[in-house]
Amino acid sequence: MASKTKKSAPNSRFAYLVIRDRQKWSDVFRLTPGRTITIGRSPVNQIVIKEDQASRQHAEIFFSDGAWTVRDLGSRNGTSVGEERVSGDRKLVVGDVVWIAGTQMSFVEDLTSAYGDKDKQKVFSRMEIGETVTGLEVSDIDEEVTQTDISVTEPTTITHRKQKTRFLDKEDPPELEDAIPKFGIAATKLCRLAFDLAKETTARGVARMALDNLMEASGVDSGAVMMVPRSRRTTTDPEHLEILAWSSTIRPEYQRVSSFLTETVLRNGEAVLARDVQDDSALGLRDSSGKIHATSVICAPIRLNNRVIGLVHLYSTSAKAVLDPDDLEFTLAVAETVGLALRTRYREQKLVDDLSKTRDEINLLRSQLNVESEIIGESAAMLSVHQQISRSAPSKATVLVRGESGVGKELVARAVHFSSDRNKGPFVCLNCAALTESLLESELFGHEKGAFTGATERKAGKFEAADKGTLMLDEIGEMSPSIQAKFLRVLEGHPFERVGGSKAIKVNVRVIAATNRDLEEEVREGKFRKDLFFRLHVVQIDVPPLRHRPEDIQVLADHFLQKYNGETGRKIRGFSPHVRHQLQRYRWPGNVRELKNVVERAVVLAQGETIEMEDLTLTKLSTASESQFDLGTLVQEYRPMSLEEVECRHIEQTLASTAWNKSKAAAILGVERSTLDRKIKKYHLKKNV
């Protein structure tokens, strides 16, 4: 009787839209009086047309004045009924075809009249296996048709398909409660699950919680949450999926999802519901007779940024717990929520990794800034050094840093490196005076395994370690002539070989050399290669000794006091006036290095809140320039003389030591060039020929 009721007269208020997408029939939609059906590209429409030519809200169909009516909603490309363009409201009659973009919808009141025999069998086959096609349920099909003997060739009987769950719609349509009776309960569970998932800190924890909730809500006896490994962007092989969580309340234990369902879900991004599974290729679960007995199966995709990254697999073997379309809706909603939770976890992990990386970079930058900040000084001499650094850093030229021991030549080299475009590359430092000739060669160029006694493995040299960066060679004047020759070839751009090796190695390294020796004198004496000297002497930075910039002594002392206060936990407030005076008049033969050590020792030994004279330990060593003049002999042969005579003799000896280089002599004397010229004129000093 039910089937006779369905085959109503043409003037029945119940009707159908049979939808044909391009070359194939794709869906059937039942029109119900009292419900307005919207059609368009937006997913909020009851009938969604996935074509660019369709507007988001294209048209609507509604029942009015005893007839079904179509109305265009001001679409861009218009709506047609047959050849007629719809303008305003247009009443539909049986047989009308509504055209929107490339989609046609036949208006019928009797489904059997909508298809030819071949098409009719295909459409009713889909209905017979239980598939919901947008608003049309299995119960709506004529009894005669559902009893038709149709052969299904797919290994699993897919009864429903969904790409988007209505549980997660921002605006629920008013008819939702009628369409999904369990909506309220499911929404409550979903809301609670979302809050619980937000507290989970691991992907496995998210998967376990989601699976427990799904099994409790659906009553299934087996299930799992699986992910595509992050090493693979995609896969459709179930053996490649990583199981994050699984559970089974029956024997045998959980069986993996089939290749058919995996490919359907991962490739198409659709959640599927299958019933009465009887083929072993679908599930892999067998009973004692060797046959599959699963009453229903659900498989839903887990998405991350619109990409399927995993799936939820549930199946039931009990006739009392058959999964239905509501379970499919809920499972898909949970799968979408799992995707969001995993995205949050992955983002948090990325933030943690980025934060760790940023902290490392900050620490590196701080160390670099700290290195540069230790080039402290407000004197004109140090201002000149900073200017030389800023001018030489952008170039690729070799730099020669000259100055007495302890003035901070390595700090200058670091400042040049970190101010250049090589600052992201390595900065490698090697002291040439600290190694023998053979060890220095090995350190510079590396060695192969077995090259010499003790060479138990291959080692890369400093040149290789400094590739695309800077190599600073301190005490370059201590390098032996044989090493100088090899070093010069590398500076000229030639490849080199490791000690005991035959493979040519070419590197991109900027060299900064430093020395406290008089290289010109070394060249004259044949101890240093002239060609190497000229290759190194491209850009020269002279670092003045501390006694030539006395205005920086107090600044440096305060800096070191604050530094060692922090390191030792002391709270020494400063230096006594007598100590400050002594620091200022002391000649500092060890330069900044000596001042640093003196302050560190004083901070450790000081008994009061200020550093007193008894806390200072100063030497009686002479400075480098004083050693040249042998002031010890002058003191032993002391004779009374005026200050002017002392000044005259001192200026004359300084000029003689510099070969009458007035600029260098003025720097040593700590006076301006113009002041030195006035003194020379005042004392009638002349250069000896």
Side-chain angles (χ1 to χ4, degrees):
M1 296 298 294
S3 61
K4 294 180 180 179
T5 303
K6 294 293 181 182
K7 296 177 182 179
S8 55
N11 61 357
S12 169
R13 293 187 304 165
F14 295 95
Y16 302 92
L17 286 178
V18 181
I19 303 172
R20 185 179 182 89
D21 182 6
R22 301 293 181 181
Q23 302 299 321
K24 61 180 181 179
W25 298 105
S26 62
D27 226 332
V28 178
F29 200 96
R30 186 177 69 180
L31 302 176
T32 304
R35 290 179 59 186
T36 298
I37 307 303
T38 59
I39 308 170
R41 196 177 71 252
S42 172
V44 301
N45 296 291
Q46 281 77 20
I47 299 178
V48 179
I49 299 178
K50 299 178 181 179
E51 296 186 55
D52 293 338
Q53 294 82 0
S55 299
R56 291 182 61 83
Q57 301 289 335
H58 198 105
E60 62 181 6
I61 296 177
F62 54 92
F63 192 78
S64 177
D65 296 332
W68 286 97
T69 304
V70 61
R71 174 187 295 165
D72 185 82
L73 298 177
S75 62
R76 184 174 66 253
N77 295 313
T79 305
S80 300
V81 177
E83 301 292 333
E84 176 187 353
R85 181 83 171 228
V86 174
S87 178
D89 294 348
R90 176 21 168 112
K91 295 187 182 300
L92 296 174
V93 297
V94 174
D96 279 343
V97 178
V98 180
W99 284 89
I100 294 178
T103 301
Q104 65 183 47
M105 292 165 281
S106 298
F107 176 75
V108 299
E109 292 182 346
D110 182 4
L111 281 176
T112 58
S113 64
Y115 303 92
D117 292 338
K118 185 177 180 180
D119 290 333
K120 186 188 306 180
Q121 182 175 359
K122 290 181 179 179
V123 173
F124 289 152
S125 294
R126 294 174 65 197
M127 297 176 182
E128 189 275 336
I129 64 176
E131 184 174 354
T132 300
V133 280
T134 320
L136 186 63
E137 302 293 340
V138 177
S139 58
D140 296 323
I141 310 303
D142 293 341
E143 185 177 353
E144 296 174 302
V145 176
T146 58
Q147 294 174 352
T148 304
D149 186 15
I150 302 295
S151 174
V152 182
T153 58
E154 290 186 335
T156 299
T157 305
I158 297 176
T159 59
H160 296 75
R161 294 176 182 262
K162 294 288 292 184
Q163 274 195 325
K164 184 178 179 182
T165 174
R166 284 175 285 177
F167 281 123
L168 299 181
D169 285 344
K170 293 183 179 179
E171 295 183 3
D172 301 322
E175 69 277 6
L176 191 58
E177 292 187 5
D178 295 332
I180 306 177
K182 296 189 291 186
F183 173 76
I185 299 175
T188 301
K189 291 182 179 179
L190 189 62
C191 182
R192 291 175 180 172
L193 176 61
F195 275 97
D196 291 338
L197 290 179
K199 301 175 185 177
E200 284 294 329
T201 58
T202 64
R204 292 189 181 276
V206 169
R208 168 53 58 190
M209 181 172 291
L211 181 61
D212 290 345
N213 277 265
L214 281 170
M215 294 188 68
E216 179 184 357
S218 61
V220 297
D221 40 45
S222 297
V225 176
M226 291 172 253
M227 301 296 294
V228 176
R230 302 190 73 175
S231 59
R232 297 173 177 266
R233 181 168 179 82
T234 184
T235 182
T236 56
D237 187 347
E239 295 299 324
H240 290 161
L241 296 177
E242 178 185 1
I243 298 180
L244 294 186
W246 68 272
S247 181
S248 180
T249 60
I250 61 170
R251 293 289 180 179
E253 295 181 339
Y254 168 76
Q255 303 296 306
R256 274 186 177 268
V257 64
S258 70
S259 298
F260 172 75
L261 288 180
T262 303
E263 184 171 355
T264 302
V265 174
L266 295 182
R267 180 168 294 174
N268 301 332
E270 292 181 323
V272 297
L273 166 62
R275 291 177 179 156
D276 295 328
V277 179
Q278 296 295 328
D279 191 301
D280 60 359
S281 66
L283 189 60
L285 178 65
R286 297 176 180 273
D287 58 17
S288 58
S289 63
K291 297 181 179 179
I292 290 175
H293 183 67
T295 57
S296 51
V297 179
I298 281 180
C299 203
I302 299 173
R303 298 183 180 91
L304 178 64
N305 298 328
N306 297 322
R307 181 170 64 89
V308 179
I309 62 167
L311 56 85
V312 176
H313 180 218
L314 305 174
Y315 62 82
S316 175
T317 59
S318 171
K320 298 180 180 179
V322 178
L323 296 167
D324 58 27
D326 289 346
D327 294 316
L328 180 67
E329 288 276 359
F330 185 68
T331 304
L332 182 56
V334 171
E336 297 284 5
T337 307
V338 168
L340 292 174
L342 290 177
R343 183 175 68 174
T344 302
R345 299 291 82 76
Y346 294 153
R347 284 181 174 178
E348 288 178 352
Q349 186 59 47
K350 186 176 184 302
L351 287 174
V352 170
D353 295 340
D354 290 347
L355 181 59
S356 177
K357 181 179 179 181
T358 302
R359 282 175 176 167
D360 292 341
E361 292 176 351
I362 289 174
N363 291 334
L364 177 61
L365 289 173
R366 282 177 175 171
S367 65
Q368 295 172 4
L369 290 173
N370 184 51
V371 167
E372 295 186 26
S373 68
E374 289 188 10
I375 306 178
I376 295 171
E378 302 173 351
S379 63
M382 289 310 299
L383 178 61
S384 175
V385 171
H386 283 291
Q387 291 173 346
Q388 292 177 70
I389 291 173
S390 63
R391 287 196 298 266
S392 61
S395 72
K396 298 180 180 179
T398 304
V399 178
L400 179 61
V401 183
R402 308 184 75 164
E404 296 178 8
S405 178
V407 294
K409 296 187 290 296
E410 183 177 341
L411 298 181
V412 172
R414 286 181 180 272
V416 171
H417 169 73
F418 290 119
S419 299
S420 70
D421 56 1
R422 294 174 177 263
N423 54 9
K424 294 183 179 179
F427 177 81
V428 180
C429 184
L430 178 65
N431 191 320
C432 300
L435 302 169
T436 63
E437 180 179 338
S438 58
L439 286 178
L440 179 59
E441 182 180 10
S442 173
E443 284 294 318
L444 282 174
F445 308 113
H447 63 255
E448 297 291 345
K449 181 178 180 181
F452 51 83
T453 303
T456 57
E457 59 183 14
R458 188 174 71 178
K459 177 183 177 181
K462 299 300 184 185
F463 269 107
E464 291 180 73
D467 191 26
K468 297 182 177 60
T470 303
L471 174 62
M472 189 258 185
L473 296 177
D474 199 6
E475 306 296 348
I476 191 71
E478 303 289 342
M479 189 178 287
S480 67
S482 62
I483 302 297
Q484 290 179 29
K486 297 179 181 179
F487 178 50
L488 177 60
R489 281 187 56 81
V490 180
L491 282 182
E492 295 289 354
H494 296 286
F496 62 91
E497 298 174 355
R498 298 190 187 98
V499 178
S502 58
K503 179 182 178 182
I505 302 171
K506 191 174 180 63
V507 293
N508 177 13
V509 175
R510 182 183 190 178
V511 172
I512 299 178
T515 185
N516 61 356
R517 288 194 174 195
D518 187 344
L519 290 184
E520 292 87 347
E521 183 64 26
E522 297 281 318
V523 171
R524 284 193 291 268
E525 295 178 1
K527 297 179 180 179
F528 199 83
R529 294 179 62 100
K530 182 184 294 185
D531 48 3
L532 178 57
F533 171 76
F534 290 126
R535 186 65 185 82
L536 292 174
H537 197 256
V538 179
V539 176
Q540 178 173 307
I541 299 178
D542 292 303
V543 185
L546 185 56
R547 62 184 176 277
H548 290 169
R549 47 189 183 108
E551 55 267 49
D552 293 334
I553 293 175
Q554 295 298 335
V555 177
L556 284 164
D558 291 337
H559 167 75
F560 292 133
L561 175 62
Q562 182 179 4
K563 175 182 178 181
Y564 293 118
N565 266 340
E567 290 185 4
T568 61
R570 302 293 300 273
K571 296 182 179 179
I572 297 176
R573 294 184 298 179
F575 304 91
S576 69
H578 194 190
V579 169
R580 287 190 179 277
H581 177 71
Q582 184 65 22
L583 293 176
Q584 198 68 36
R585 67 186 297 270
Y586 183 63
R587 299 290 288 168
W588 298 110
N591 292 294
V592 179
R593 182 187 293 121
E594 183 184 6
L595 174 59
K596 177 182 177 182
N597 294 336
V598 166
V599 175
E600 182 180 11
R601 186 185 303 110
V603 170
V604 173
L605 299 178
Q607 298 179 1
E609 294 183 348
T610 59
I611 294 177
E612 302 295 340
M613 281 299 299
E614 57 268 22
D615 301 323
L616 287 183
T617 304
L618 302 177
T619 70
K620 296 181 180 180
L621 296 174
S622 60
T623 65
S625 59
E626 290 170 345
S627 298
Q628 293 175 1
F629 300 146
D630 195 12
L631 289 186
T633 303
L634 292 177
V635 172
Q636 292 177 2
E637 299 176 356
Y638 171 77
R639 66 178 179 83
M641 64 182 68
S642 66
L643 287 176
E644 284 191 352
E645 187 177 356
V646 172
E647 184 180 48
C648 175
R649 289 189 61 183
H650 184 56
I651 293 174
E652 185 177 22
Q653 291 178 347
T654 303
L655 287 168
S657 70
T658 61
W660 271 75
N661 185 325
K662 294 182 181 180
S663 297
K664 185 178 292 187
I668 294 174
L669 294 170
V671 298
E672 297 292 334
R673 169 69 181 272
S674 59
T675 302
L676 178 60
D677 288 335
R678 288 197 302 271
K679 297 289 184 180
I680 292 173
K681 185 176 181 181
K682 175 182 178 181
Y683 297 125
H684 305 288
L685 300 177
K686 293 182 180 180
K687 182 178 181 180
N688 294 326
V689 180

